[in-house]
């Protein structure tokens, strides 16, 4: 993917959680190519080290921080270290997530709480830690990665509920801190072909071929579809965008693609 970067992104600091692989990794790749200073917070040291090494060898200004976002002290330590290393955090992306595919009758309270800890509490704690700096500088862009699952029922019960709460948190931050010129938006991706799907691909290798028939644009998404939206919301090209659900889903939420031919009698 060739991105068109806003020039003012160069030199800005962006923090991406869960940037060791998949969508977060592509965000880091794009941000580094835009000459941003990139900090990745990631629990998996192996993927983190690999990604940081690869992006650095391509000329990127990228630093990794190992932290488990389920642990408040590790979040606060990582963010304090990043502020010390980079001076300030201008863009923060709450991307890390966990996904439990079970239906609610098979979801234990332990799994429900773990999902909410990573997908909902961690973004809350990260935002709480970075906001004072953004408020003091009267500037900041926070981007929460939500999901179409929080807009309609398509399975993954605890995951969908945890992300629905994240969508609500975006609105709270946007409205409460708009006066401080802190913008906060949710990106709402549809299906993106990443490693988080591996378990479902193992069960059904054709899962993306089935899913793509529901997408008006005829394909599932790529990590670069989301990375491009992140860089747009991070830039000065989106100065009046806050509190939004920025849908990047190939048209999935616009309607039920297989239904209209039956309604019109044209199927
Ligand atoms: N892939 C999709 O189809 C899809 C669709 C909609 C939304 N999303 C969202 O996009 C984001 C990225 O998804 P992905 O497909 O790249 O997922 P992924 O599982 O491939 O990557 C998630 C990353 O987060 C890290 N992570 C998980 N728990 C962590 C913790 N406790 N502390 C620190 N890091 C942790 C993982 O190690 C991993 O590197 C998520 O917020 C996800 O909900 C994905």
């Amino acid at each position: 993917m060739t991105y068109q970067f806003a020039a003012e992104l160069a030199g800005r600091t962006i923090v991406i959680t869960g940037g060791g692989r998949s969508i977060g990794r592509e965000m880091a790749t794009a941000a580094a190519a835009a000459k941003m200073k990139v900090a990745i917070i990631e629990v998996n040291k192996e993927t983190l080290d690999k990604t940081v090494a690869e992006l650095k060898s391509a000329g990127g200004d990228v630093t990794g921080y190992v932290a488990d976002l389920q642990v408040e002290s590790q979040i606060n330590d990582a963010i304090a270290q990043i502020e010390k290393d980079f001076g300030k955090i201008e863009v923060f992306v709450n991307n890390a997530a966990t996904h439990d595919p079970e239906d609610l009758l098979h979801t234990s309270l332990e799994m429900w709480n773990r999902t909410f800890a990573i997908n909902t509490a961690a973004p809350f704690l990260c935002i709480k830690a970075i906001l004072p700096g953004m408020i003091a500088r009267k500037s900041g862009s926070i981007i929460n990665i939500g999901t179409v699952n929080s807009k309609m029922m398509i399975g993954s019960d605890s995951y969908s509920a945890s992300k629905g709460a994240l969508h609500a948190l975006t609105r709270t931050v946007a409205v409460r801190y708009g006066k401080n010129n802190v913008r906060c938006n949710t990106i709402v991706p549809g299906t993106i072909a990443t490693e988080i799907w591996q378990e479902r691909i193992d069960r059904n290798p054709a899962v993306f071929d089935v899913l793509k028939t529901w997408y008006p644009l005829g394909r599932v998404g790529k990590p670069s579809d989301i990375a491009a939206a992140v860089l747009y919301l991070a830039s000065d090209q989106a100065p009046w965008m806050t509190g939004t659900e920025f849908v990047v889903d190939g048209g999935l939420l616009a309607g039920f693609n297989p239904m209209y031919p039956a309604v019109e009698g044209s199927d």
Side-chain angles (χ1 to χ4, degrees):
M1 161 96 181
T2 307
Y3 298 94
Q4 300 291 322
F5 299 120
E8 70 276 4
L9 290 174
R12 283 191 192 162
T13 301
I14 183 169
V15 182
I16 300 161
T17 67
R21 70 177 198 178
S22 306
I23 301 174
R25 185 187 191 287
E26 183 62 24
M27 291 173 192
T29 306
K35 305 276 176 238
M36 297 183 83
K37 296 174 189 164
V38 184
I40 300 173
I41 301 176
E42 169 63 61
V43 72
N44 186 324
K45 186 173 173 357
E46 198 181 324
T47 58
L48 178 65
D49 288 348
K50 189 165 176 281
T51 292
V52 170
E54 283 172 8
L55 295 184
K56 270 187 168 171
S57 72
D61 182 349
V62 183
T63 312
Y65 300 81
V66 176
D68 183 348
L69 295 166
Q70 294 177 86
V71 184
E72 183 175 9
S73 60
Q74 292 190 28
I75 290 176
N76 291 336
D77 289 351
I79 288 173
Q81 191 60 49
I82 293 167
E83 286 184 329
K84 198 166 162 227
D85 293 347
F86 292 84
K88 58 187 170 182
I89 294 171
E90 289 152 300
V91 183
F92 194 97
V93 189
N94 280 305
N95 166 74
T98 189
H99 174 265
D100 172 24
E102 297 295 353
D103 68 72
L104 69 86
L105 287 178
H106 295 93
T107 301
S108 64
L109 180 59
E110 188 189 5
M111 182 53 80
W112 178 274
N113 287 340
R114 180 175 188 277
T115 302
F116 271 74
I118 297 171
N119 297 0
T120 315
F124 150 64
L125 292 169
C126 288
I127 290 169
K128 198 174 163 189
I130 59 168
L131 262 175
M134 290 184 170
I135 291 169
R137 289 188 305 278
K138 294 193 182 329
S139 178
S141 174
I142 299 167
I143 300 161
N144 295 328
I145 307 302
T147 173
V148 290
N149 289 55
S150 64
K151 307 302 291 177
M152 64 178 179
M153 159 50 180
I154 42 176
S156 306
D157 300 3
S158 63
Y159 170 82
S160 304
S162 70
K163 289 285 187 172
L166 181 61
H167 285 223
L169 179 65
T170 294
R171 292 190 287 272
T172 298
V173 174
V175 174
R176 199 177 286 285
Y177 302 102
K179 63 180 178 292
N180 305 106
N181 197 33
V182 174
R183 295 184 295 110
C184 184
N185 292 286
T186 306
I187 292 177
V188 188
T191 304
I192 310 291
T194 70
E195 285 143 274
I196 208 172
W197 279 87
Q198 197 52 53
E199 196 187 322
R200 286 166 287 186
I201 293 169
D202 291 345
R203 264 184 275 137
N204 176 8
V207 63
F208 290 142
D209 290 329
V210 176
L211 291 179
K212 75 180 184 188
T213 63
W214 272 269
Y215 281 84
L217 287 181
R219 66 168 174 89
V220 300
K222 300 179 281 194
S224 58
D225 294 319
I226 306 307
V230 165
L231 290 194
Y232 170 66
L233 288 174
S235 78
D236 295 347
Q237 315 302 306
W240 214 42
M241 281 191 72
T242 198
T244 59
E245 292 182 333
F246 193 34
V247 178
V248 185
D249 73 342
L252 182 73
L253 289 178
F256 190 44
N257 199 28
M259 186 174 177
Y260 77 86
V263 172
E264 292 172 351
S266 58
D267 58 337

